[in-house]
Amino acid sequence: MNLQQIKTLGELKTSGYKSKSIKDELRENLITKIMNKEATFKGIHGYENTVIPQLERAILSKHNINLLGLRGQAKTRLARLMLNLLDEYIPVVEGSEINDDPLNPISRFAIETIKEKGDETPIYWMHRSKRFAEKLATPDVTVADIIGDVDPIKAANLKLSYADDRVIHYGMIPRANRCIFVINELPDLQARIQVALFNILQEGDIQIRGFKLRLPLDMQFLFTANPEDYTNRGSIVTPLKDRIGSQILTHYPEDIAIAKTITQQEAKLDERQAETIFVPELAKDLLEQIVFEARESEYIDAKSGVSARLSITAFQNLLSTAERRLLISGDEKTTIRLSDFDGIIPAITGKVELVYEGEQEGAASVAQNLIVSAIKTLFPTYFPEIKKLEKQTAESPYDDVISWFFNTNSDFEILDDLDQETYTALLDSVAPLEDLLEKYQSKATQQERYFVKEFVLWALVEFNKLSKYRFSEGTQFKDPYGNFMSGL
């Protein structure tokens, strides 16, 4: 018999259905997934050997959980994915405010309804998608919001005394009975509110305005917190921390490959952008390396963290920069260019917290320096290293490219809005670049070659082999003494 066809308590009893706690649900369904070799947290990358095993152990232990980590480390995403470990449907007494189990009612309403109607008590089936409640901890949260309070309007309408527990208006937590309840940014919750959670976590009951009311709530609590909050805005009070079974540390992606996978999954590109703009793998690597550089930068507050959302929004800006050029030039298709990376600066400046020295430098300048640092970091993985100190007579793989700029009198300018044909012809005019690619990056596809060529030019500038001048409409490249000579 399909359980969802059961409409009364009597039918539920006859079916042989057995109630189980939410923690038992999570545990049993997790065991099934692990035994069937199924992914327990789909769409989460980089946590396979760190966070996810710890989370699975906490669920098997039936613990309430605190996810501790910096911004943009998928803490809330993990919490929401726990829904997939719940049973698809559970029975609820119809009309119950706190999702009473028909076989184990706890509220006065459900108990009296079952006493009155017996096996004819109507029930409905709650889908697991409805069994998730989330609250962002803010300073204005009150005990009444999350636990409940006496409702004078209800007392007046029902002509009840304040001593009658029917005048209680339940808060978010009782209403989330038999659900996963998430409190985000727990340290932001005032200490007196955190204290109100003690009994719920330890004894599974609530206390409202002195009522002798015991509601053995059945809940899975999951908290998230940022380590920065412990010093800047508040702290988790010690007795509450003691009642949380497992505290799990999250982290940022450990390598570029994982970071790229996350960005491509979350970027949600417009269909037109996906069809008309080609993104070289080197461009994707460079974008992620910029984020890695930001996490190591002396100008950016490491305690605040650099969210994975930075790479996602930067990637979207990168594509939009290319799309805008496409619309201006009238081309049907284009490829990402290194000069397009100037378009991601607004995404960077809005996502990082600068220390004092960074504020002195300026947000845009710090963002530009991150792009430069990423180019210098990645360059030796694609081409021979450019040494800082070498003899003037020493031969270099880049001598021909440098000589080309030294001997060329005309300005070499890559304008931001160049059409694709003019752009490729301009880079093809630097014949030594083609020779360099044939020797060291021969496997690069035709679409990728032009980005790699521009990558070489930018790298030579950063290693002081060429000079670069940025003007309002584009970028000019010259020999290393070009700017000096032009100033005479």
Side-chain angles (χ1 to χ4, degrees), residues 19-36:
S19 297
K20 53 187 172 184
S21 71
I22 185 170
K23 287 184 167 68
D24 283 328
E25 277 183 62
L26 291 166
R27 174 183 161 81
E28 290 177 16
N29 292 328
L30 174 62
I31 289 171
T32 301
K33 281 185 176 289
I34 292 175
M35 292 179 68
N36 292 337

Side-chain angles (χ1 to χ4, degrees), residues 313-314 316-318 321 338-348 371:
T313 54
Q316 292 167 337
N317 264 19
L318 186 65
T321 303
L338 213 156
S339 50
D340 292 336
F341 275 76
D342 282 334
I344 74 171
I345 289 178
I348 298 174
I371 298 172

Side-chain angles (χ1 to χ4, degrees), residues 396 398-407 432 460 465-466 479-480:
S396 163
Y398 312 102
D399 288 344
D400 290 344
V401 177
I402 297 167
S403 297
W404 188 92
F405 281 92
F406 191 81
N407 296 323
L460 290 175
K465 300 298 182 182
L466 292 178
D479 67 86

